Amino acid sequence: DAYAKEDARVRVIHKSNGGVSSARNAALDIAKGTYVQFMDADDWIPSDSTKLLYQSAVSHDADMVIADFWRVVGDRVSQKGDIEEEQEMDKLAYVGFMQQNPADFYYGALWNKLFRRSKIEAYQLRMDESLSWCEDFVFNLEFILHVEKIFALRAPVYYYVKTSGSL
């Protein structure tokens, strides 16, 4: 609420707890930007993450940018990524990479990606609130059906904290 008072771009949603998919859907319902970026509450991003994702999306006219991330387990931090060089690709090339390692967080998570919002709205994509796990992977698969261009960014843009007992 304090951020919203300071910056008109910040919008706060007060709602009862309906789970992560419900919260993400409520945010998508009011989103206005050109791109959408997701974060989980127990993780964090470096200060230049959104800038790197946005610049990559604009300079490559990408519908989605996927980036490396840092995996944090206790005191250990390791860089994770799967596509080994920065490149533009169509959805078929992307799916080819994904088929090599489909269960990897790199492909399944939302938080290491930037999504063109017009694609989300044109195809009425939302999180499936009936799912309690892999709802982000399902969203990604549905989104990829409608993209023209994806850009793989090798810079890590997210700190994913592996928390015992977390969803």
PDB file of all heavy atoms in Angstrom, residues 61-64 89-92 119 123 143-150:
ATOM      1  N   ASP A  61      12.290  -8.298 -30.513  1.00  0.00           N
ATOM      2  CA  ASP A  61      10.857  -8.386 -30.795  1.00  0.00           C
ATOM      3  C   ASP A  61      10.309  -9.752 -30.378  1.00  0.00           C
ATOM      4  O   ASP A  61       9.585 -10.426 -31.115  1.00  0.00           O
ATOM      5  CB  ASP A  61      10.566  -8.111 -32.277  1.00  0.00           C
ATOM      6  CG  ASP A  61       9.083  -7.909 -32.541  1.00  0.00           C
ATOM      7  OD1 ASP A  61       8.369  -7.429 -31.632  1.00  0.00           O
ATOM      8  OD2 ASP A  61       8.624  -8.260 -33.642  1.00  0.00           O
ATOM      9  N   ALA A  62      10.677 -10.165 -29.173  1.00  0.00           N
ATOM     10  CA  ALA A  62      10.323 -11.492 -28.670  1.00  0.00           C
ATOM     11  C   ALA A  62       8.993 -11.468 -27.922  1.00  0.00           C
ATOM     12  O   ALA A  62       8.704 -10.533 -27.184  1.00  0.00           O
ATOM     13  CB  ALA A  62      11.424 -12.002 -27.747  1.00  0.00           C
ATOM     14  N   ASP A  63       8.225 -12.521 -28.113  1.00  0.00           N
ATOM     15  CA  ASP A  63       6.990 -12.706 -27.354  1.00  0.00           C
ATOM     16  C   ASP A  63       7.284 -13.233 -25.956  1.00  0.00           C
ATOM     17  O   ASP A  63       6.495 -13.032 -25.033  1.00  0.00           O
ATOM     18  CB  ASP A  63       6.065 -13.693 -28.067  1.00  0.00           C
ATOM     19  CG  ASP A  63       5.595 -13.152 -29.404  1.00  0.00           C
ATOM     20  OD1 ASP A  63       5.235 -11.968 -29.474  1.00  0.00           O
ATOM     21  OD2 ASP A  63       5.599 -13.925 -30.388  1.00  0.00           O
ATOM     22  N   MET A  64       8.421 -13.914 -25.825  1.00  0.00           N
ATOM     23  CA  MET A  64       8.852 -14.416 -24.523  1.00  0.00           C
ATOM     24  C   MET A  64      10.371 -14.375 -24.459  1.00  0.00           C
ATOM     25  O   MET A  64      11.045 -14.655 -25.449  1.00  0.00           O
ATOM     26  CB  MET A  64       8.382 -15.858 -24.312  1.00  0.00           C
ATOM     27  CG  MET A  64       8.693 -16.406 -22.920  1.00  0.00           C
ATOM     28  SD  MET A  64       8.085 -18.104 -22.672  1.00  0.00           S
ATOM     29  CE  MET A  64       9.452 -19.057 -23.304  1.00  0.00           C
ATOM     30  N   MET A  89      14.683 -17.727 -31.370  1.00  0.00           N
ATOM     31  CA  MET A  89      14.188 -18.991 -31.906  1.00  0.00           C
ATOM     32  C   MET A  89      12.678 -18.935 -32.056  1.00  0.00           C
ATOM     33  O   MET A  89      12.009 -18.142 -31.391  1.00  0.00           O
ATOM     34  CB  MET A  89      14.607 -20.158 -31.014  1.00  0.00           C
ATOM     35  CG  MET A  89      13.993 -20.149 -29.633  1.00  0.00           C
ATOM     36  SD  MET A  89      14.789 -21.284 -28.497  1.00  0.00           S
ATOM     37  CE  MET A  89      15.960 -20.162 -27.746  1.00  0.00           C
ATOM     38  N   ASP A  90      12.159 -19.779 -32.921  1.00  0.00           N
ATOM     39  CA  ASP A  90      10.712 -19.918 -33.014  1.00  0.00           C
ATOM     40  C   ASP A  90      10.271 -20.979 -32.012  1.00  0.00           C
ATOM     41  O   ASP A  90      11.103 -21.606 -31.350  1.00  0.00           O
ATOM     42  CB  ASP A  90      10.271 -20.246 -34.446  1.00  0.00           C
ATOM     43  CG  ASP A  90      10.792 -21.576 -34.960  1.00  0.00           C
ATOM     44  OD1 ASP A  90      11.274 -22.425 -34.164  1.00  0.00           O
ATOM     45  OD2 ASP A  90      10.715 -21.795 -36.177  1.00  0.00           O
ATOM     46  N   LYS A  91       8.970 -21.199 -31.915  1.00  0.00           N
ATOM     47  CA  LYS A  91       8.472 -22.126 -30.899  1.00  0.00           C
ATOM     48  C   LYS A  91       8.929 -23.556 -31.140  1.00  0.00           C
ATOM     49  O   LYS A  91       9.147 -24.303 -30.193  1.00  0.00           O
ATOM     50  CB  LYS A  91       6.961 -22.028 -30.752  1.00  0.00           C
ATOM     51  CG  LYS A  91       6.169 -22.414 -31.959  1.00  0.00           C
ATOM     52  CD  LYS A  91       4.691 -22.211 -31.695  1.00  0.00           C
ATOM     53  CE  LYS A  91       3.958 -21.943 -32.979  1.00  0.00           C
ATOM     54  NZ  LYS A  91       2.684 -21.317 -32.753  1.00  0.00           N
ATOM     55  N   LEU A  92       9.109 -23.952 -32.392  1.00  0.00           N
ATOM     56  CA  LEU A  92       9.542 -25.325 -32.664  1.00  0.00           C
ATOM     57  C   LEU A  92      10.976 -25.556 -32.187  1.00  0.00           C
ATOM     58  O   LEU A  92      11.278 -26.603 -31.610  1.00  0.00           O
ATOM     59  CB  LEU A  92       9.405 -25.644 -34.152  1.00  0.00           C
ATOM     60  CG  LEU A  92       7.964 -25.717 -34.662  1.00  0.00           C
ATOM     61  CD1 LEU A  92       7.937 -25.999 -36.162  1.00  0.00           C
ATOM     62  CD2 LEU A  92       7.151 -26.743 -33.908  1.00  0.00           C
ATOM     63  N   LYS A 119      -0.337 -11.358 -25.997  1.00  0.00           N
ATOM     64  CA  LYS A 119      -0.572 -12.773 -26.302  1.00  0.00           C
ATOM     65  C   LYS A 119      -1.414 -13.421 -25.198  1.00  0.00           C
ATOM     66  O   LYS A 119      -2.305 -14.218 -25.480  1.00  0.00           O
ATOM     67  CB  LYS A 119       0.760 -13.529 -26.436  1.00  0.00           C
ATOM     68  CG  LYS A 119       1.601 -13.099 -27.597  1.00  0.00           C
ATOM     69  CD  LYS A 119       1.058 -13.641 -28.891  1.00  0.00           C
ATOM     70  CE  LYS A 119       2.010 -13.302 -30.041  1.00  0.00           C
ATOM     71  NZ  LYS A 119       1.527 -13.810 -31.317  1.00  0.00           N
ATOM     72  N   TYR A 123      -5.429 -14.679 -26.189  1.00  0.00           N
ATOM     73  CA  TYR A 123      -5.824 -16.090 -26.075  1.00  0.00           C
ATOM     74  C   TYR A 123      -6.423 -16.408 -24.705  1.00  0.00           C
ATOM     75  O   TYR A 123      -6.615 -17.575 -24.371  1.00  0.00           O
ATOM     76  CB  TYR A 123      -4.633 -16.992 -26.404  1.00  0.00           C
ATOM     77  CG  TYR A 123      -4.186 -16.769 -27.834  1.00  0.00           C
ATOM     78  CD1 TYR A 123      -3.114 -15.937 -28.122  1.00  0.00           C
ATOM     79  CD2 TYR A 123      -4.904 -17.331 -28.884  1.00  0.00           C
ATOM     80  CE1 TYR A 123      -2.738 -15.696 -29.437  1.00  0.00           C
ATOM     81  CE2 TYR A 123      -4.532 -17.093 -30.197  1.00  0.00           C
ATOM     82  CZ  TYR A 123      -3.452 -16.274 -30.466  1.00  0.00           C
ATOM     83  OH  TYR A 123      -3.084 -16.021 -31.768  1.00  0.00           O
ATOM     84  N   PHE A 143       1.020 -20.791 -23.422  1.00  0.00           N
ATOM     85  CA  PHE A 143       1.563 -19.553 -23.975  1.00  0.00           C
ATOM     86  C   PHE A 143       2.407 -19.838 -25.216  1.00  0.00           C
ATOM     87  O   PHE A 143       2.283 -19.159 -26.239  1.00  0.00           O
ATOM     88  CB  PHE A 143       2.391 -18.815 -22.911  1.00  0.00           C
ATOM     89  CG  PHE A 143       2.885 -17.477 -23.367  1.00  0.00           C
ATOM     90  CD1 PHE A 143       2.081 -16.362 -23.270  1.00  0.00           C
ATOM     91  CD2 PHE A 143       4.156 -17.338 -23.903  1.00  0.00           C
ATOM     92  CE1 PHE A 143       2.530 -15.118 -23.703  1.00  0.00           C
ATOM     93  CE2 PHE A 143       4.617 -16.110 -24.341  1.00  0.00           C
ATOM     94  CZ  PHE A 143       3.797 -14.991 -24.236  1.00  0.00           C
ATOM     95  N   ILE A 144       3.249 -20.847 -25.135  1.00  0.00           N
ATOM     96  CA  ILE A 144       4.170 -21.175 -26.231  1.00  0.00           C
ATOM     97  C   ILE A 144       3.416 -21.521 -27.517  1.00  0.00           C
ATOM     98  O   ILE A 144       3.903 -21.266 -28.619  1.00  0.00           O
ATOM     99  CB  ILE A 144       5.128 -22.307 -25.802  1.00  0.00           C
ATOM    100  CG1 ILE A 144       6.079 -21.788 -24.732  1.00  0.00           C
ATOM    101  CG2 ILE A 144       5.910 -22.867 -26.982  1.00  0.00           C
ATOM    102  CD1 ILE A 144       6.779 -22.879 -23.951  1.00  0.00           C
ATOM    103  N   LEU A 145       2.210 -22.045 -27.395  1.00  0.00           N
ATOM    104  CA  LEU A 145       1.414 -22.353 -28.586  1.00  0.00           C
ATOM    105  C   LEU A 145       1.196 -21.127 -29.467  1.00  0.00           C
ATOM    106  O   LEU A 145       0.989 -21.260 -30.678  1.00  0.00           O
ATOM    107  CB  LEU A 145       0.043 -22.916 -28.180  1.00  0.00           C
ATOM    108  CG  LEU A 145       0.006 -24.312 -27.580  1.00  0.00           C
ATOM    109  CD1 LEU A 145      -1.405 -24.622 -27.072  1.00  0.00           C
ATOM    110  CD2 LEU A 145       0.454 -25.344 -28.609  1.00  0.00           C
ATOM    111  N   HIS A 146       1.254 -19.932 -28.887  1.00  0.00           N
ATOM    112  CA  HIS A 146       0.864 -18.717 -29.592  1.00  0.00           C
ATOM    113  C   HIS A 146       2.010 -17.756 -29.884  1.00  0.00           C
ATOM    114  O   HIS A 146       1.760 -16.655 -30.355  1.00  0.00           O
ATOM    115  CB  HIS A 146      -0.220 -17.999 -28.776  1.00  0.00           C
ATOM    116  CG  HIS A 146      -1.365 -18.898 -28.418  1.00  0.00           C
ATOM    117  ND1 HIS A 146      -2.257 -19.382 -29.355  1.00  0.00           N
ATOM    118  CD2 HIS A 146      -1.731 -19.447 -27.243  1.00  0.00           C
ATOM    119  CE1 HIS A 146      -3.130 -20.164 -28.767  1.00  0.00           C
ATOM    120  NE2 HIS A 146      -2.850 -20.220 -27.487  1.00  0.00           N
ATOM    121  N   VAL A 147       3.222 -18.151 -29.620  1.00  0.00           N
ATOM    122  CA  VAL A 147       4.347 -17.226 -29.817  1.00  0.00           C
ATOM    123  C   VAL A 147       4.927 -17.339 -31.213  1.00  0.00           C
ATOM    124  O   VAL A 147       4.814 -18.370 -31.875  1.00  0.00           O
ATOM    125  CB  VAL A 147       5.472 -17.439 -28.769  1.00  0.00           C
ATOM    126  CG1 VAL A 147       4.945 -17.261 -27.362  1.00  0.00           C
ATOM    127  CG2 VAL A 147       6.142 -18.781 -28.939  1.00  0.00           C
ATOM    128  N   GLU A 148       5.543 -16.251 -31.644  1.00  0.00           N
ATOM    129  CA  GLU A 148       6.273 -16.232 -32.909  1.00  0.00           C
ATOM    130  C   GLU A 148       7.770 -16.337 -32.650  1.00  0.00           C
ATOM    131  O   GLU A 148       8.471 -17.046 -33.349  1.00  0.00           O
ATOM    132  CB  GLU A 148       5.975 -14.923 -33.677  1.00  0.00           C
ATOM    133  CG  GLU A 148       4.504 -14.653 -33.904  1.00  0.00           C
ATOM    134  CD  GLU A 148       3.801 -15.740 -34.681  1.00  0.00           C
ATOM    135  OE1 GLU A 148       4.403 -16.271 -35.639  1.00  0.00           O
ATOM    136  OE2 GLU A 148       2.653 -16.075 -34.329  1.00  0.00           O
ATOM    137  N   LYS A 149       8.236 -15.594 -31.624  1.00  0.00           N
ATOM    138  CA  LYS A 149       9.672 -15.552 -31.380  1.00  0.00           C
ATOM    139  C   LYS A 149       9.964 -15.581 -29.884  1.00  0.00           C
ATOM    140  O   LYS A 149       9.302 -14.913 -29.098  1.00  0.00           O
ATOM    141  CB  LYS A 149      10.266 -14.277 -31.971  1.00  0.00           C
ATOM    142  CG  LYS A 149      11.786 -14.276 -32.009  1.00  0.00           C
ATOM    143  CD  LYS A 149      12.358 -12.944 -32.481  1.00  0.00           C
ATOM    144  CE  LYS A 149      11.947 -12.593 -33.873  1.00  0.00           C
ATOM    145  NZ  LYS A 149      12.538 -11.305 -34.313  1.00  0.00           N
ATOM    146  N   ILE A 150      10.976 -16.358 -29.527  1.00  0.00           N
ATOM    147  CA  ILE A 150      11.462 -16.472 -28.149  1.00  0.00           C
ATOM    148  C   ILE A 150      12.935 -16.106 -28.164  1.00  0.00           C
ATOM    149  O   ILE A 150      13.657 -16.444 -29.106  1.00  0.00           O
ATOM    150  CB  ILE A 150      11.273 -17.913 -27.623  1.00  0.00           C
ATOM    151  CG1 ILE A 150       9.786 -18.272 -27.587  1.00  0.00           C
ATOM    152  CG2 ILE A 150      11.906 -18.089 -26.242  1.00  0.00           C
ATOM    153  CD1 ILE A 150       9.505 -19.751 -27.384  1.00  0.00           C
TER     154      ILE A 150
END
